[in-house]
Amino acid sequence: MPGKRALVVAGVGLVVLLAAILLLWSSGEGGSTTTFCTSLRAGDNPIDVFDRYDPTDVSSAKAQLEQGVNRLEQLERAAPSEIHNDMKVLVDVAQQLVAALDPSAANRPTPDFSSQFDRVRAASGNVTRFAADRCSVSLDSGSSAAPATLPPGTPTSKP
């Protein structure tokens, strides 16, 4: 009888362990449409966050860009599997842009963002369509500020 009980306990423990692994594994894939739409409505439009970037305001330029990256990361975590990879592309490129524009990176070569235009355009289009179709949210820029101008030679794509 003690051997049977140990076998049952081990079996139940194995089932619980497998369920926990599956739960943790699937939760790492992203959020849901509801979570994404709620997050999208609850915060700034990411386009507006990047539109507020002012390269002439050296004291807050990096913080402005990092705020944009943080907003994209928040949306990436909330994104359902349908657009999770698209959000990842936007986050990755935004992070590269922030790193390239960091004053401490002045001596490093600037990444070639032109090779990523098509990828960013496709990802952005997918996310924008998803937001409009599934969340009834337009990701067009609502900023009343004039678009930021970048110093000569700086990549001009916005995630």
Side-chain angles (χ1 to χ4, degrees), residues 74-92:
Q74 178 187 45
L75 292 171
E76 179 189 17
R77 286 188 299 273
S81 59
E82 297 159 80
I83 58 166
H84 191 265
N85 288 338
D86 295 312
M87 286 302 308
K88 181 163 180 38
V89 166
L90 298 177
V91 167
D92 289 347

Side-chain angles (χ1 to χ4, degrees), residues 100-159:
L101 294 174
D102 186 341
S104 68
N107 296 333
R108 287 184 244 149
T110 303
D112 177 19
F113 288 105
S114 63
S115 66
Q116 299 185 50
F117 284 161
D118 290 338
R119 202 174 83 153
V120 169
R121 187 175 301 126
S124 181
N126 290 339
V127 171
T128 300
R129 272 189 302 283
F130 185 91
D133 296 346
R134 298 299 224 25
C135 305
S136 299
V137 172
S138 172
L139 288 178
D140 293 333
S141 178
S143 176
S144 58
T149 56
L150 300 173
T154 303
T156 58
S157 72
K158 287 186 183 180

Side-chain angles (χ1 to χ4, degrees), residues 13-80:
L14 181 61
V15 169
V16 169
L17 179 63
L18 288 173
I21 289 171
L22 285 174
L23 179 64
L24 291 172
W25 178 60
S26 65
S27 69
E29 292 298 312
S32 66
T33 298
T34 301
T35 303
F36 180 78
C37 293
T38 300
S39 181
L40 194 57
R41 288 184 193 104
D44 286 334
N45 178 340
I47 294 171
D48 290 342
V49 174
F50 282 98
D51 277 350
R52 288 191 295 262
Y53 169 67
D54 180 2
T56 62
D57 183 1
V58 178
S59 64
S60 66
K62 183 176 179 182
Q64 289 171 334
L65 290 174
E66 287 174 347
Q67 180 184 3
V69 171
N70 290 340
R71 180 66 175 131
L72 287 174
E73 288 171 338
Q74 178 187 45
L75 292 171
E76 179 189 17
R77 286 188 299 273

